[in-house]
């Protein structure tokens, strides 16, 4: 540990080293971005042209967004599925978290154990029956089905339960003495107190849903319902060797999350750290 | 107060009998609590029951069946443990399990890298914020986009990585994901690359919770940086390491996306892993029963790790 009053050369040296290493993590993204601006014939020139000779930004992105595989549609699908999943998941999770931590009923303990047990079930072990179930109740190949699959993650319940346990029981008790029911207490006292935690969970849930590949792959079939990840994959196999276009699609798929992350960086990192440390 | 008493009486009978009027009130209060409790948790419980509990039971039941989904309900034949016996004789399944086990190696590798990076970033650099974002980028990026980029970068004949290797003198660079001998390791490298950001962030949080005075005391005793790491940092991080290791191991059993996008289990099964195999059996070959038995095995693996974790936790986490 160094007390930093003036520039410390050792610290500077480590910074330079870490900077060099960080290039390893960023370079693929830079390559992706640069390639998306290029003329197809210049993609694989070596040494790599980090500044394109011919700029094709407008043409490439126009093709991706409004061509045969119109990305604006998949954007809309992803936004719809992402927001709906996040909303439902936050709602259901915070209700359950409150119920498991602040309402004192005997069965609660056992019910919580059941929920806890499901956390151990790897999602993929249930895919086949879920698929069969969806085929039979008409949720297959629909956004609603996809949204429901993502909405009942017990992780949110755990995370928010931790926070509700931090809310003093006296708040709840005194509100009750004043004649408020649990729903009113939840809405007026409990929820506002854990709002920051809900926001963190919401960002995480949105990122996970946005990046999900497996569930859309299994539960969607029609092109027009595809989410961005799935469309990206189909686009790649359709456009074959057109790497400039594929990279334009990749940039389009990553950019919104990058923005969400940069804006909500603190909550994302804190949320992950918290989930991580607390287990 | 009243309610707390009521709640307490739910667990153990109070020694002093309450006056009749109060006890009546207590009972109705408690019933109110129970109803409220059920109402609060029921949406989650309902969702979890339908989407997780019911399916996992169905998985176990179906693992004893021979069923092609297309044949309809009448096509089910119950065959006992034949699916599981079949799995033991199925070279591709065994290879998938073996690949899963090899993949476990990636966990300690990225844990070590993440820990070192976390220590450096937390204590020894300027511009902390930049580094957190830079190393975290792969984690928030869409897996398909990332996989596609790596696929191109690893392209054997004209991809940038091999061009570079040729330029510095390797006349015959590996074919990476196109070569059965390298494919799995290439995927592991990418997985390490993706995982570092997440693990590093958790480690940084772990580092920040270590009390400063431990280091101050060590400074007074004249301990060097290495001693401080061995005697303070590493042991104090052990709960974090333990947690990350368990979640990391479990997540290697769930790997699917990167395989599905990059290799589809190939070339010649060299990157097939359990979940990929499950997916392939269920949704390409439509062998629902057989796929369910793979699911059951997957579930057992994860269950064993989880149970083992409870046993190990006390031994490993030292403070």
């Amino acid at each position: 540990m160094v007390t930093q009053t003036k520039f410390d050369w050792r610290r500077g040296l480590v910074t330079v080293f870490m900077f060099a290493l960080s290039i390893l993590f960023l370079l693929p993204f830079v390559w992706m971005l640069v390639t998306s601006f290029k003329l197809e014939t210049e993609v694989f020139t070596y040494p790599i042209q980090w500044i394109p000779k011919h700029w094709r930004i407008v043409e490439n992105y126009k093709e991706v967004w409004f061509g045969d595989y119109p990305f604006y549609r998949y954007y809309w699908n992803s936004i719809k599925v992402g927001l709906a999943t996040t909303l439902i998941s936050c709602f259901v999770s915070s209700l359950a978290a409150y119920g498991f931590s602040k309402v004192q009923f005997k069965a609660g303990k056992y019910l919580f154990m059941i929920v806890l047990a499901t956390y151990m079930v790897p999602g993929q072990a249930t895919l086949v029956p879920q698929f069969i179930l969806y085929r039979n109740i008409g949720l297959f190949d629909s956004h609603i089905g996809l949204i429901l699959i993502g909405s009942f993650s017990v992780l949110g319940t755990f995370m928010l339960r931790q926070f509700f346990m931090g809310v003093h029981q006296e708040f709840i008790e005194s509100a009750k003495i004043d004649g408020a029911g649990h729903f009113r207490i939840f809405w007026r006292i409990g929820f506002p107190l854990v709002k920051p935690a809900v926001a963190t969970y919401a960002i995480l849930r949105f990122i996970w849903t946005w990046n999900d590949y497996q569930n859309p792959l299994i539960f969607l079939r029609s092109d027009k319902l595809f989410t961005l990840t799935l469309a990206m994959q189909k686009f790649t196999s359709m456009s074959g060797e057109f790497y400039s276009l594929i990279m334009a699609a990749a940039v389009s798929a990553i950019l919104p999350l990058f923005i969400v992350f940069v804006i909500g960086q603190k909550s994302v990192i804190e949320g992950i750290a918290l989930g991580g440390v607390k287990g | 107060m009243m309610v707390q008493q009521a709640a307490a009486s739910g667990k153990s009978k109070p020694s002093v009998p309450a006056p009749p009027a109060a006890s009546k009130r207590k009972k109705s209060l408690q019933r109110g609590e129970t109803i409220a409790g059920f109402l609060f948790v029921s949406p989650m419980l309902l969702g979890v029951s339908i989407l997780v509990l019911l399916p996992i039971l169905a998985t176990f039941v179906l693992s004893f069946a021979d069923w092609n989904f297309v044949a309809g309900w009448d096509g089910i034949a119950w065959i006992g443990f034949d699916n599981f016996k079949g799995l033991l004789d199925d070279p591709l399944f065994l290879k998938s399990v073996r690949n899963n086990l090899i993949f476990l190696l990636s966990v300690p590798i990225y844990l070590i890298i993440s820990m070192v990076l976390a220590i450096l970033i937390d204590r020894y650099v300027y511009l902390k914020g930049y580094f957190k974002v830079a190393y975290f980028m792969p984690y928030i990026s869409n897996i398909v986009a990332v996989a596609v980029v790596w696929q191109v970068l690893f392209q054997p004949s004209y991809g940038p990585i091999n061009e570079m290797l040729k330029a510095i003198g390797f006349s015959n660079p590996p074919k990476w994901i196109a070569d059965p001998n390298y494919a799995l390791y290439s995927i592991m490298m990418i997985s390490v690359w993706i995982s570092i950001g997440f693990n590093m962030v958790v480690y940084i949080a772990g580092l920040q919770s270590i009390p400063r005075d431990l280091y101050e005391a060590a400074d007074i005793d004249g301990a060097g940086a290495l001693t401080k790491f061995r005697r303070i940092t590493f042991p104090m991080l052990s709960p974090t390491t333990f947690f990350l290791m368990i979640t990391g191991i479990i997540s290697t059993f769930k790997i699917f996306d990167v395989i599905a996008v990059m290799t589809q289990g190939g070339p010649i099964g060299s990157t097939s892993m359990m979940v990929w195999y499950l997916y392939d059996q269920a949704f390409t070959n439509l062998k629902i029963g057989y796929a369910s038995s793979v699911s059951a095995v997957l579930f057992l693996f994860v269950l064993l790790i989880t149970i083992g974790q409870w046993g190990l936790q006390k031994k490993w986490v030292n403070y």
Side-chain angles (χ1 to χ4, degrees), chain A:
Chain A
M1 256 127 306
V2 197
T3 44
Q4 59 270 75
T5 36
K6 62 177 198 280
F7 185 78
D8 176 40
W9 65 270
R10 276 186 310 179
R11 206 182 177 89
L13 215 64
V14 177
T15 307
V16 170
F17 166 76
M18 290 294 281
F19 185 77
L21 200 64
S22 74
I23 290 178
L24 205 66
F25 284 76
L26 293 179
L27 216 55
F29 295 104
V30 177
W31 188 84
M32 182 194 287
L33 191 69
V34 171
T35 306
S36 75
F37 297 156
K38 279 183 184 171
L39 197 65
E40 185 56 40
T41 49
E42 289 167 2
V43 169
F44 286 109
T45 46
Y46 191 86
I48 299 169
Q49 289 173 4
W50 291 107
I51 296 163
K53 220 179 252 163
H54 301 89
W55 292 82
R56 301 274 293 177
I57 303 182
V58 180
E59 293 88 338
N60 286 352
Y61 282 86
K62 206 171 139 190
E63 178 60 35
V64 170
W65 275 72
F66 305 103
D68 296 336
Y69 253 80
F71 262 53
Y72 71 86
R73 180 191 291 157
Y74 308 122
Y75 252 78
W76 173 234
N77 288 344
S78 271
I79 290 170
K80 205 164 91 181
V81 171
L83 285 182
T85 307
T86 307
L87 264 175
I88 298 178
S89 181
C90 282
F91 181 68
V92 171
S93 301
S94 50
L95 275 184
Y98 181 89
F100 283 131
S101 58
K102 286 286 164 250
V103 184
Q104 280 146 348
F105 65 123
K106 240 199 261 177
K109 220 171 34 185
Y110 305 106
L111 295 177
F112 184 67
M113 284 211 314
I114 294 177
V115 173
L116 191 75
T118 64
Y119 191 54
M120 279 181 259
V121 178
Q124 289 104 343
T126 55
L127 277 181
V128 173
Q130 278 171 348
F131 177 79
I132 297 168
L133 178 74
Y134 267 35
R135 291 294 293 240
N136 283 306
I137 58 176
L139 283 178
F140 179 71
D141 200 22
S142 73
H143 280 160
I144 298 173
L146 189 60
I147 290 164
L148 287 178
I149 283 276
S151 295
F152 294 96
S153 149
V154 290
L155 188 73
T157 307
F158 292 154
M159 239 175 103
L160 298 177
R161 183 174 161 268
Q162 296 280 357
F163 281 92
F164 274 118
M165 298 218 289
V167 174
H168 283 293
Q169 194 67 26
E170 284 91 62
F171 280 128
I172 315 285
E173 298 310 335
S174 59
K176 249 193 253 167
I177 287 166
D178 292 344
H182 267 301
F183 284 94
R184 208 149 131 197
I185 300 174
F186 169 75
W187 192 239
R188 288 290 166 85
I189 303 172
F191 190 74
L193 280 173
V194 298
K195 231 184 203 163
V198 177
T200 300
Y201 174 67
I203 294 179
L204 288 176
R205 172 56 50 206
F206 186 78
I207 291 180
W208 292 330
T209 312
W210 185 277
N211 282 342
D212 186 17
Y213 173 68
Q214 185 183 288
N215 287 330
L217 177 71
I218 286 165
F219 297 107
L220 294 181
R221 190 112 318 162
S222 324
D223 272 10
K224 63 179 199 309
L225 294 178
F226 280 5
T227 59
L228 214 46
T229 40
L230 206 52
M232 172 79 217
Q233 163 75 4
K234 284 281 140 88
F235 182 78
T236 307
S237 46
M238 292 287 287
S239 34
E241 303 285 295
F242 284 94
Y243 289 106
S244 55
L245 296 183
I246 293 172
M247 292 309 141
V251 172
S252 307
I254 287 181
L255 203 63
L257 268 201
F258 181 68
I259 293 167
V260 168
F261 176 62
V262 169
I263 294 171
Q265 197 220 95
K266 253 190 105 182
S267 6
V268 175
I269 288 186
E270 268 167 22
I272 282 175
L274 195 101
V277 171
K278 290 208 169 153

Side-chain angles (χ1 to χ4, degrees), chain B residues 67-76:
Chain B
W67 184 32
N68 182 320
F69 178 66
V70 185
W73 296 111
D74 299 331
I76 297 190

Side-chain angles (χ1 to χ4, degrees), chain A residues 8 11 15 18 22 29 32 44 46 103-104 124-125 129-130 157 176 182 211 257-258 261 265 273 276, chain B residues 33 44 51 55 59 123 125-126 130 133 135-137 140-142 148-149 152 158 163-164 198 205 243 254:
Chain A
D8 176 40
R11 206 182 177 89
T15 307
M18 290 294 281
S22 74
F29 295 104
M32 182 194 287
F44 286 109
Y46 191 86
V103 184
Q104 280 146 348
Q124 289 104 343
Q130 278 171 348
T157 307
K176 249 193 253 167
H182 267 301
N211 282 342
L257 268 201
F258 181 68
F261 176 62
Q265 197 220 95
Chain B
E33 286 283 295
M44 177 54 94
L51 291 172
T59 292
R123 298 180 180 172
V125 296
Y126 296 107
Y130 160 77
V133 174
Y135 290 109
F136 206 66
M137 265 303 279
I140 57 150
S141 299
N142 171 330
V148 168
V149 174
V152 180
Y158 49 82
E163 288 289 332
M164 213 160 350
F198 170 82
F243 166 77
K254 297 182 183 174

Side-chain angles (χ1 to χ4, degrees), chain B residues 10 17 36 39 59 66 74 149 171 193 209 242 248 251:
Chain B
L39 285 176
T59 292
D66 179 19
D74 299 331
V149 174
S171 57
W193 181 79
S209 67
F242 185 78
S251 72

